[in-house]
Amino acid sequence: MLSVSMEEDEFFGEKTFQRFCAEFIKHSRQIGDGWEWRTSKDCSEGYMCKTYFQIKPGTVVSHLGTSAHVQTCLPTEEALELPLDDFEVTETTTGSEVIKYEYHVLYSCSYQVPVLYFRASFLDGRPLALKDIWEGIHECYKTQMLQEPWDTITQQEHPILGQPFFVLHPCKTNEFMTPVLKNSQKINRSINYITSWLSVVGPVVGLNLPLSYARTASQDE
Amino acid sequence: MDVVPKKPNPPYGPKDVQLEDLEGQRKNFSFPVAFDIEHSGGSVGNGLEEGQIGGPKPGHYPIGLLFDLLASSSALPWNITVHFKSFPEKDLLHCPSKDAIEAHFMSCVKEADALKHKSQVINEMQKKDHKQLWMGLQNDRFDQFWAINRKLMEYPAEENGFRFIPFRIYQTTTERPFIQKLFRPVAADGQLHTLGDLLKEVCPSAVAPEDGEKKNQVMIHGIEPMLETPLQWLSEHLSYPDNFLHISIIPQPTD
């Protein structure tokens, strides 16, 4: 496990980013948390990516409904291929829709930190507006989001895919990560930058990390 | 990697808009609607495929950049077709309000300063200075804009330039929206890096080989700067209002 160098110029370079991501994904695979690594077409860059599906209850549905025994959080797209007789294809269904959430962790060379991109859409591709995404987030984070100045969200082009994503602006990341890194050096305990950073910013936008990530980060030396 | 192809927008209630005095409008951001670029009277025969010209184009890109990238061989005024319905939400940034455009502009300015000055200059400014930058651009007030922008163009006396140069290189032939990398304006030996140096490093396919034929035009603000031009100079003088050098690589016209 790599200790983060505090040298000014290479605070958190792209190679360091990729190393931390690789370790993060290794643990994700062990617990089935769904994170994957993707590369750009020319393979010069890569990013972490997680997709999950959630049933959004109580909305008016035009054509797709699911029966009651479906789990509320489906891990893969394949799991949606339920047997036909489980579907009710009428106006008057249980009234739930499936939302697809996507989270991408990219490296910003401008700010030399990781950046969280996210978006949500219905299965037919219609994107959710930011305010609809907020409805799915726990109340306590909503207040935090409104208070904390570093939680600025803008819509930007994904630098590799070119499509619109919401982005948690990275300009304040150094501010809250520096004390974390300084402390880890002080107590001589190495951490995974990605794990620490994502555990802070993720929940604000509906992404939660199981605690086992933290235990892994401090175990691997 | 899944890349959703940009589907052309069905023309539904199109309005032809003539952009007069394009040069004067060059640095402005286009209005927040999607538009299909349908050439009326311009040739498509410079190597770009129909599918790449048709289809929705990002309205948050500076209009001058879009012109260089897509229509530089067209006569002025540039005829474009504007669609006011069926916005392609999945493919393009929606700019629902002027505030959203301002936020996007300011986030570009901040990113440029992160590259040039580790955000020191922009962070030292007050909120009213940021506002003045935006208002100067919005109201086309050169002096108002540059009163603040000149601070973003300064660098310490002991250095020869910015820390890194804010630039983005656009090509219609690639899937990714643009190339952006870390690049210093000054080499280790103190020599100023040129535009040619930048291209050789980050986009070598754009530069013709030593004795080869010139295949591409490298365009900024509708002109082709000499490849020997120092990058630091280009950044100070030819950046767009968002402080980025937006560079278009387009195929050399065949005529």
Side-chain angles (χ1 to χ4, degrees):
Chain A
M1 171 71 67
L2 198 69
S3 279
V4 178
S5 146
M6 293 299 285
E7 187 175 312
E8 243 220 336
D9 231 37
E10 260 285 296
F11 180 67
F12 185 72
E14 184 147 14
K15 286 211 161 35
T16 311
F17 166 77
Q18 290 177 347
R19 258 191 295 249
F20 282 134
C21 287
E23 279 156 14
F24 183 90
I25 288 173
K26 189 167 136 192
H27 183 71
S28 168
R29 288 198 176 122
Q30 286 168 357
I31 63 171
D33 197 30
W35 285 93
E36 288 176 353
W37 182 256
R38 296 220 183 128
T39 50
S40 59
K41 258 230 155 104
D42 55 8
C43 290
S44 59
E45 295 152 304
Y47 58 95
M48 292 206 313
C49 163
K50 174 172 170 171
T51 303
Y52 75 88
F53 297 84
Q54 200 171 52
I55 306 277
K56 187 175 164 173
T59 46
V60 175
V61 157
S62 57
H63 60 273
L64 182 69
T66 52
S67 61
H69 73 262
V70 174
Q71 300 169 304
T72 47
C73 202
L74 306 170
T76 62
E77 198 146 0
E78 284 72 36
L80 280 174
E81 287 170 28
L82 302 165
L84 258 177
D85 55 14
D86 279 344
F87 279 84
E88 295 168 327
V89 195
T90 62
E91 277 300 318
T92 57
T93 61
T94 53
S96 52
E97 273 214 81
V98 179
I99 312 277
K100 174 180 169 185
Y101 291 88
E102 287 172 80
Y103 297 94
H104 293 200
V105 173
L106 277 83
Y107 178 73
S108 161
C109 60
S110 305
Y111 291 98
Q112 297 189 298
V113 291
V115 189
L116 183 60
Y117 287 72
F118 63 97
R119 67 175 174 186
S121 58
F122 296 103
L123 287 183
D124 61 8
R126 275 176 301 135
L128 259 72
L130 196 55
K131 60 175 174 63
D132 296 325
I133 300 180
W134 287 150
E135 280 166 26
I137 291 172
H138 196 281
E139 200 62 43
C140 70
Y141 290 114
K142 280 191 208 166
T143 344
Q144 179 185 328
M145 203 283 296
L146 292 167
Q147 283 170 359
E148 292 294 324
W150 47 263
D151 284 333
T152 312
I153 297 190
T154 52
Q155 197 185 30
Q156 295 198 17
E157 248 181 338
H158 190 287
I160 296 173
L161 301 178
Q163 291 173 346
F165 274 72
F166 295 110
V167 185
L168 215 46
H169 205 269
C171 58
K172 300 284 196 243
T173 299
N174 275 336
E175 225 173 86
F176 68 81
M177 283 305 294
T178 302
V180 174
L181 297 167
K182 280 210 166 99
N183 190 56
S184 79
Q185 282 207 329
K186 207 161 79 170
I187 62 176
N188 207 27
R189 181 170 136 181
S190 55
I191 58 163
N192 182 320
Y193 186 110
I194 293 293
T195 306
S196 304
W197 165 79
L198 201 53
S199 67
V200 175
V201 300
V204 182
V205 297
L207 177 69
N208 292 298
L209 291 193
L211 280 179
S212 62
Y213 278 105
R215 288 194 280 272
T216 304
S218 54
Q219 272 163 20
D220 296 352
E221 288 301 317
Chain B
M1 180 181 74
D2 287 328
V3 175
V4 177
K6 293 182 176 161
K7 293 195 273 271
N9 216 15
Y12 188 58
K15 269 181 103 145
D16 277 321
V17 174
Q18 285 204 335
L19 287 183
E20 293 176 56
D21 192 22
L22 180 72
E23 291 311 298
Q25 298 300 314
R26 178 168 268 286
K27 293 191 191 197
N28 288 1
F29 288 88
S30 13
F31 30 77
V33 298
F35 52 94
D36 276 343
I37 312 283
E38 290 174 20
H39 281 237
S40 47
S43 82
V44 189
N46 51 2
L48 296 173
E49 284 159 31
E50 193 77 36
Q52 288 172 323
I53 292 193
K57 290 297 170 275
H60 64 286
Y61 281 11
I63 191 102
L65 168 64
L66 287 170
F67 183 80
D68 287 345
L69 198 58
L70 303 168
S72 58
S73 56
S74 304
L76 294 175
W78 184 26
N79 287 325
I80 63 172
T81 301
V82 181
H83 296 261
F84 292 93
K85 298 192 184 187
S86 317
F87 191 95
E89 295 278 357
K90 197 163 178 224
D91 297 326
L92 292 186
L93 261 64
H94 205 338
C95 286
S97 64
K98 243 185 191 165
D99 288 343
I101 303 176
E102 180 182 354
H104 188 270
F105 170 75
M106 284 313 300
S107 91
C108 290
V109 173
K110 285 181 182 162
E111 187 178 348
D113 202 59
L115 287 164
K116 288 196 274 187
H117 304 117
K118 286 206 246 185
S119 303
Q120 276 160 7
V121 177
I122 196 84
N123 285 345
E124 265 163 20
M125 287 182 183
Q126 295 175 11
K127 208 158 167 71
K128 68 174 175 69
D129 295 330
H130 297 175
K131 205 70 187 175
Q132 185 174 335
L133 207 58
W134 169 247
M135 295 306 293
L137 173 66
Q138 207 187 9
N139 300 328
D140 229 2
R141 301 274 306 277
F142 185 89
D143 292 334
Q144 190 184 22
F145 178 82
W146 272 99
I148 307 296
N149 202 50
R150 64 171 180 81
K151 298 185 207 165
L152 296 168
M153 292 301 175
E154 289 167 351
Y155 51 87
E158 59 270 18
E159 312 287 334
N160 280 334
F162 304 134
R163 188 164 173 251
F164 296 108
I165 298 290
F167 72 89
R168 288 189 179 155
I169 297 177
Y170 303 82
Q171 292 173 281
T172 52
T173 51
T174 55
E175 258 166 11
R176 63 181 307 146
F178 51 77
I179 298 172
Q180 181 180 344
K181 295 205 161 114
L182 290 181
F183 192 84
R184 292 192 191 273
V186 188
D189 61 3
Q191 289 280 333
L192 289 175
H193 279 139
T194 64
L195 178 59
D197 293 333
L198 173 71
L199 293 170
K200 270 193 221 119
E201 178 73 23
V202 309
C203 192
S205 56
V207 193
E210 280 291 321
D211 49 354
E213 203 183 298
K214 183 163 173 270
K215 279 189 282 180
N216 293 308
Q217 286 182 307
V218 178
M219 211 171 260
I220 309 175
H221 292 301
I223 60 168
E224 282 190 81
M226 285 169 48
L227 296 181
E228 295 83 11
T229 315
L231 202 57
Q232 173 67 27
W233 186 90
L234 286 172
S235 182
E236 288 178 51
H237 297 97
L238 284 196
S239 287
Y240 279 71
D242 62 4
N243 279 230
F244 269 83
L245 274 173
H246 295 285
I247 303 168
S248 301
I249 311 275
I250 55 174
Q252 184 80 29
T254 46
D255 47 63

